[in-house]
Amino acid sequence: MTQLEAMALTFILEAGVATALAAAFGRGVLMCAAAAVAGSTVTHPILWAVFYDVQAAYGDLATPVLEAAVIVAETLAYRALATPRWDEAALFSVLANAVSWWAGEAIYALT
C-alpha cells in the first residue's frame, strides 16, 4: 500500500469513527470529521517519515510508541475542533486511531 493510499484509508476510517462518536456525544458531525482529517493530515506524513528510524531504535515497540504520539497529537485537533472536553477529545483520538491501526494490521496480515 502506498503512503497516499494509506492516508486516504486513514481519513475514511478515522472520520467514520469520529462521525459515529459525534452522534453518541452530541457533537457536530462535520467538526468531528474535520478534526479527524486535520489531525491525520499533520501526523500521517510525519509517522511515515520517521517510522523506519524509530523502528531501528525501538524494534517491535515502534508502532505502539508512534501511535501513542499520534494519539496525543490528534487529541489536540479533536479538542480544538470537535469538543470542549479533553477527556472526550482523547477518547475520540484513541478510538479513531485504534480502528485505523487494526485495519492496517489486518491489511498487512492479508498481503
Side-chain angles (χ1 to χ4, degrees):
M1 177 175 291
T2 68
Q3 181 181 359
L4 188 57
E5 291 168 334
M7 191 167 188
L9 184 58
T10 296
F11 288 162
I12 292 165
L13 292 172
E14 293 192 19
V17 171
T19 298
L21 291 171
F25 285 87
R27 302 294 176 206
V29 170
L30 290 177
M31 294 309 287
C32 289
V37 171
S40 293
T41 297
V42 173
T43 61
H44 196 271
I46 295 169
L47 177 70
W48 275 69
V50 303
F51 179 79
Y52 292 107
D53 291 335
V54 175
Q55 187 177 41
Y58 289 93
D60 290 339
L61 292 176
T63 300
V65 166
L66 288 169
E67 282 295 335
V70 165
I71 288 166
V72 169
E74 291 182 8
T75 293
L76 300 173
Y78 284 108
R79 175 59 181 81
L81 298 175
T83 177
R85 296 181 50 154
W86 283 106
D87 59 341
E88 282 181 17
L91 180 64
F92 277 49
S93 186
V94 166
L95 294 177
N97 280 286
V99 167
S100 185
W101 179 0
W102 287 112
E105 290 292 325
I107 290 167
Y108 180 75
L110 294 172
T111 56

